Amino acid sequence: MTSTILITGATAGIGAASARLFVHNGWRVIATGRRGDRLRALQDELGDALLPLELDMRDTESLLRLGELGGEWGEIDLLLNNAGLAPPTDALQDADYPKLETSIQTNVTGLVALTRSLLPGIIRRKGAVINLSSVAATYPYRGGAVYAGTKAFVRQFSLDLRCDLAGTGVRVTSIEPGMAETEFTLVRTGGDQAASDSLYAGVEPMTAEDIADTIWWIATLPPHLNINTIELMPTRQSFAGFTVSRTDQA
Ligand code: NDP
Ligand code: 8X3
């Protein structure tokens, strides 16, 4: 029987790479995102196994209605909560509030609404939920307070959801990547290609396909195995130390 995955944020990066991988392996993919032209291009590329669905993760009402999606596309086995973005790395005291709110609405509120909406069906099908958190959930850095906070939420939400789902057979995983070269930094910097290129230059960052391969591996493990959390980094990314201030700033 054909399995179905719903992927949020399938118009770019990790979501698009996952859509390709799952269709190539015989799954049906419901591909969501705001950019309808990209979703239609993906359908042209991958064919009728992909259903394009324009969806803004800030539109809670639409997310809550998705659980009523009927017919063959309504039988969702795997929810990949991937859509997300980061505000610029300004310190909070200097940050543009609307950009912070967009990240919270997309990464947290939308993720919760969609999961709530699809969960009864996923429970009936003994399916799975895979959530994209980040290393930012664990390792603080300057300018990361809101983005990291959203990703720490995603991690803890994933772990606690396992408690709610005990005995249902539904699996939940938090994937926590470090630097993967996608449109992530382009979006974070407001479209600064040079800033994105210089961040990843010489790092040999992970690719969207590396993360999609990890998602595929988790999705196809035997049903008795649950990966709770998994953290990945490029070999050339590691950890910084603490910040110490010797004088107070005026
Ligand atoms: P991209 O910017 O390449 O892709 C982000 C996707 O999210 C796009 O498809 C975009 O679609 C979608 N998206 C953003 N805002 C919304 C919204 N309001 N409604 C619907 N969809 C939205 O980034 P990545 O592929 O790298 O990011 C995927 C996930 O992985 C994110 O949650 C990110 O935080 C996480 N992550 C990324 C890392 C990295 O280094 N790249 C590391 C750790 C975690 P559209 O604009 O068309 O709506
Ligand atoms: C983003 C991860 O390492 O680029 O989620 O800050 S990193």
Side-chain angles (χ1 to χ4, degrees), residues 39-88:
L39 294 173
R40 285 186 289 280
L42 207 53
Q43 191 188 35
D44 289 345
E45 176 190 333
L46 297 173
D48 290 341
L50 183 135
L51 177 72
L53 195 63
E54 270 181 62
L55 192 63
D56 188 328
M57 293 302 287
R58 295 167 298 178
D59 179 0
T60 309
E61 279 185 23
S62 295
L63 296 172
L64 290 173
R65 276 200 305 271
L66 257 189
E68 298 154 17
L69 192 74
E72 54 174 348
W73 290 103
E75 304 289 313
I76 295 163
D77 300 281
L78 173 56
L79 168 60
L80 177 59
N81 277 317
N82 164 77
L85 77 171

Side-chain angles (χ1 to χ4, degrees), residues 119-140:
L119 214 45
I122 291 173
I123 291 170
R124 278 197 298 279
R125 295 179 71 77
K126 288 196 193 307
V129 180
I130 298 179
N131 296 323
L132 259 294
S133 173
S134 167
V135 292
T138 304
Y139 309 102

Side-chain angles (χ1 to χ4, degrees), residues 7-17 32-39 53-59 63 81-86 102-103 105-107 111 131-136 147 150-151 154 175-188 199-200 205-208 211 232 234 237:
I7 302 175
T8 65
T11 58
I14 296 165
T32 78
R34 290 168 300 179
R35 287 170 288 181
D37 54 336
R38 291 213 185 179
L39 294 173
L53 195 63
E54 270 181 62
L55 192 63
D56 188 328
M57 293 302 287
R58 295 167 298 178
D59 179 0
L63 296 172
N81 277 317
N82 164 77
L85 77 171
T102 295
S103 295
Q105 287 172 342
T106 306
N107 302 1
L111 180 146
N131 296 323
L132 259 294
S133 173
S134 167
V135 292
Y147 177 67
T150 68
K151 292 301 174 179
V154 172
I175 302 190
E176 298 160 17
M179 295 166 80
E181 189 168 7
T182 62
E183 294 179 11
F184 177 83
T185 300
L186 202 58
V187 172
R188 184 171 221 178
L199 180 70
Y200 299 117
M206 297 185 292
T207 63
I211 310 302
L232 312 86
Q237 181 182 19

Side-chain angles (χ1 to χ4, degrees), residues 57 59-60 63-64 108-118:
M57 293 302 287
D59 179 0
T60 309
L63 296 172
L64 290 173
V108 174
T109 312
L111 180 146
V112 173
L114 183 60
T115 307
R116 169 64 188 89
S117 182
L118 298 186

